[in-house]
Amino acid sequence: MSERVSRYIKQQGMVSDGDEILLAVSGGPDSVCMLYIMHKLSCEMGFSLRLAHLNHSLRGEESERDAAYVAELAAALGVPLCQQKVSVKAYQAEHHLSTEEAAREMRYAFLCRTAAEYGSAAVAVGHTTDDNIETVMLHLVRGSGTRGLQGLRPVLNRTVAGEGCLRVIRPLLGLSRAETQNYCCEAGLSPVQDVTNQSTDLLRNRIRLEVLPMLRGINPAFEETILRTAFIAGEEMALLDEVTSQMKAELVIRQDNVLMIEKIEMQRLHPALKRNLLRQMLEELLGGLKDIEARHIESIIQTLDKPAGRRIDLPYKLVFQVDYEHYLLGWEIDELCPYPPFQGEYRLGVGTETILDGWTVKTEVLPSPVGLDLSESTLVAYLDMDKAGSDLAVRTRTEGDQFQPLGMEEAKSLKEFMIDNKIPRSWRARVPLLFSGAEILWLVGYRIGQSAKVDENTRRVLRVEFKLQN
């Protein structure tokens, strides 16, 4: 088994000569097996060890027993040990987490701090193929998407909120749980047993104790099938991540707490690249993907073709918002209003270009409505020239403005229309309005008015284009 672990470590590039590896040892069979194998290999492969044990204080005397047992192992092998005792229950209540989530967060925070304090190159955890299979099934049940099929990775960089980045290695990922237990038995070791592993209150335990045995009855080679699927998914996701990272570096711009990408660039991407790019953007902002589910990504995807101003609220008060020319993801997005501020009223000539504060407005008359590209841009409008007239002006909203949007039989308050169309409050005073006399012909970027729509009787078309100045 030591030779198998040695080959796996070398194959995955887990350890370099001279590294210190921090071993996360709970006292159970998997971590004890890892400790003894890694202790043997440390001399052969030229790395050193340090042990880490976190007492979660969840099982009273059993938790104290586990901590004492790990201390005995460290002393027997002459390996330095870092221990800490915490209250998972208190942390759980403060952060409104499940016991399992709270314990995991506190454990990885402890490991990250300890690795940073002693300069450890990586933290080794004792996950086995059984853990990998259970993780894949857990991800499928929770709906984590294709990415969840890859299960546990041999090596990963894990971002720990408030602590930094932690390099995690899994040297036993090629061994089964039965093999680690046999190793301990044959070596005369007596690892501790966590009785909570037999409780079906936890979803992972229910999968291990109830679901997997049933699936083995259907397909005796079920484990091999899952592991093969996880391996293929991992290889494909690694390639997708590499390609996406290159694209992200080229396309995504960060401004304070907001990530921006041009709409036209995003719309050109394959759906798989869109999803992965959004995932990487979320991960950059949050430092991880905790509480981000496939449904959040899909809700953003379904919003990409919505008009400017549409927004989605995400976990941790993140917001995704559609702009005229960009998609925005982050916090305090309203402060990045795309509309330049301007005041006063501007007269527009027909067949001319007019410079406003931050805008260039071009008007031209087309001799026929045939062949109009109505999907050209949200900043281009086509109106019936004879209905619109030549008395054109641009201003922003004023109190009491009324607007009859295209397709509606009656006018409504402009304020009500802006609210219904989810135009952010901070944007509304900047949205240009195209007028003819007292009639709103176009709420720029959103909707033209009913009064000047192009129909079967239209002879001449007035094309109006707003361009943002650089």
Side-chain angles (χ1 to χ4, degrees):
M1 283 178 62
S2 297
E3 292 178 1
R4 286 170 57 192
V5 173
S6 175
R7 286 197 301 270
Y8 191 68
I9 289 174
K10 293 174 183 177
Q11 177 188 4
Q12 300 296 334
M14 293 183 179
V15 177
S16 298
D17 186 33
D19 283 350
E20 177 184 281
I21 305 300
L22 185 66
L23 299 182
V25 180
S26 67
D30 297 339
S31 65
V32 171
C33 174
M34 177 181 68
L35 166 59
Y36 274 79
I37 289 179
M38 293 293 281
H39 183 259
K40 178 180 179 181
L41 295 179
S42 62
C43 297
E44 301 174 10
M45 301 179 68
F47 59 86
S48 61
L49 297 179
R50 183 179 299 274
L51 268 62
H53 176 81
L54 184 67
N55 183 344
H56 298 100
S57 304
L58 285 172
R59 294 178 290 117
E61 292 183 2
E62 287 189 0
S63 293
E64 301 298 330
R65 174 207 64 186
D66 296 354
Y69 177 65
V70 173
E72 291 175 6
L73 294 176
L77 295 174
V79 179
L81 169 65
C82 300
Q83 278 191 319
Q84 184 179 348
K85 183 176 181 179
V86 297
S87 174
V88 168
K89 287 296 185 182
Y91 184 88
Q92 175 188 2
E94 179 183 355
H95 296 275
H96 308 289
L97 301 170
S98 69
T99 302
E100 191 176 19
E101 289 174 325
R104 182 170 55 250
E105 285 192 7
M106 297 195 79
R107 182 165 59 251
Y108 275 103
F110 162 67
L111 293 172
C112 192
R113 288 193 303 271
T114 305
E117 180 180 354
Y118 292 98
S120 303
V123 170
V125 293
H127 292 140
T128 65
T129 57
D130 297 76
D131 296 301
N132 200 4
I133 292 166
E134 292 163 12
T135 298
V136 173
M137 296 301 298
L138 193 63
H139 288 170
L140 284 173
V141 169
R142 289 176 171 169
S144 60
T146 306
R147 182 171 294 274
L149 289 176
Q150 65 181 328
L152 301 174
R153 309 309 303 148
V155 180
L156 79 155
N157 293 316
R158 180 178 183 133
T159 301
V160 181
E163 301 294 343
C165 190
L166 181 67
R167 185 170 185 264
V168 179
I169 62 175
R170 296 184 169 105
L172 302 192
L173 207 53
L175 303 182
S176 69
R177 187 173 294 135
E179 288 178 308
T180 65
Q181 292 171 343
N182 289 338
Y183 179 93
C184 291
C185 182
E186 292 173 2
L189 301 169
S190 302
V192 297
Q193 300 295 331
D194 185 348
V195 295
T196 61
N197 287 334
Q198 302 305 313
S199 170
T200 54
D201 291 340
L202 298 176
L203 178 57
R204 179 181 286 273
N205 290 353
R206 209 176 316 150
I207 289 172
R208 178 194 307 134
L209 300 172
E210 298 176 358
V211 177
L212 292 179
M214 180 182 67
L215 291 173
R216 289 189 199 102
I218 298 172
N219 177 9
F222 174 74
E223 280 94 343
E224 290 79 2
T225 301
I226 285 290
L227 292 173
R228 183 168 60 251
T229 300
F231 175 78
I232 294 171
E235 295 282 291
E236 293 178 353
M237 289 307 305
L239 175 60
L240 181 60
D241 284 342
E242 182 179 347
V243 172
T244 305
S245 294
Q246 294 172 357
M247 293 178 50
K248 179 171 172 287
E250 296 173 2
L251 302 179
V252 177
I253 300 170
R254 181 157 189 165
Q255 182 174 337
D256 298 326
N257 291 322
V258 179
L259 296 179
M260 301 181 288
I261 180 171
E262 289 187 8
K263 291 171 71 172
I264 190 170
E265 296 291 349
M266 185 70 156
Q267 290 164 355
R268 288 173 178 166
L269 300 181
H270 186 280
L273 287 172
K274 290 179 183 176
R275 291 184 178 91
N276 212 45
L277 180 58
L278 289 168
R279 188 176 288 107
Q280 288 194 5
M281 292 168 68
L282 286 163
E283 190 167 16
E284 176 179 338
L285 291 168
L286 296 173
L289 291 172
K290 182 180 179 295
D291 297 325
I292 299 298
E293 302 174 4
R295 63 185 177 87
H296 296 124
I297 304 292
E298 290 308 308
S299 67
I300 296 176
I301 292 292
Q302 293 168 11
T303 308
L304 296 181
D305 60 350
K306 302 300 182 183
R310 186 61 60 89
R311 61 194 293 160
I312 296 175
D313 294 323
L314 298 164
Y316 304 104
K317 298 183 180 180
L318 269 180
V319 173
F320 177 83
Q321 187 161 284
V322 181
D323 188 1
Y324 277 137
E325 298 180 347
H326 295 85
Y327 296 115
L328 310 176
L329 177 68
W331 295 278
E332 301 171 352
I333 281 180
D334 287 350
E335 297 180 8
L336 296 179
C337 177
Y339 308 102
F342 71 93
Q343 297 178 343
E345 183 172 311
Y346 296 81
R347 312 303 298 180
L348 298 182
V350 176
T352 64
E353 280 193 354
T354 304
I355 306 299
L356 313 182
D357 292 337
W359 295 100
T360 299
V361 185
K362 180 181 179 181
T363 62
E364 60 180 316
V365 178
L366 306 179
S368 168
V370 177
L372 299 182
D373 182 6
L374 300 180
S375 63
E376 178 181 357
S377 169
T378 58
L379 295 180
V380 174
Y382 294 96
L383 307 170
D384 186 305
M385 179 65 211
D386 296 313
K387 296 176 183 175
S390 57
D391 183 20
L392 303 176
V394 177
R395 65 166 172 83
T396 54
R397 68 174 185 169
T398 60
E399 187 67 31
D401 277 335
Q402 296 289 305
F403 178 47
Q404 184 178 358
L406 180 66
M408 294 190 67
E409 296 182 356
E410 297 181 355
K412 62 191 305 184
S413 75
L414 182 60
K415 178 180 179 180
E416 183 181 353
F417 177 84
M418 288 181 162
I419 292 172
D420 291 345
N421 282 266
K422 303 185 187 306
I423 300 176
R425 182 186 299 273
S426 61
W427 294 23
R428 296 172 193 168
R430 296 188 181 186
V431 180
L433 305 175
L434 177 65
F435 276 84
S436 176
E439 190 87 33
I440 299 178
L441 301 179
W442 181 26
L443 180 62
V444 177
Y446 290 92
R447 190 86 64 87
I448 67 170
Q450 177 72 17
S451 62
K453 72 172 184 177
V454 174
D455 57 27
E456 65 276 6
N457 298 317
T458 299
R459 294 177 300 168
R460 297 182 302 160
V461 174
L462 174 63
R463 182 182 185 275
V464 185
E465 179 179 7
F466 276 67
K467 287 184 179 180
L468 287 165
Q469 297 173 4
N470 295 327

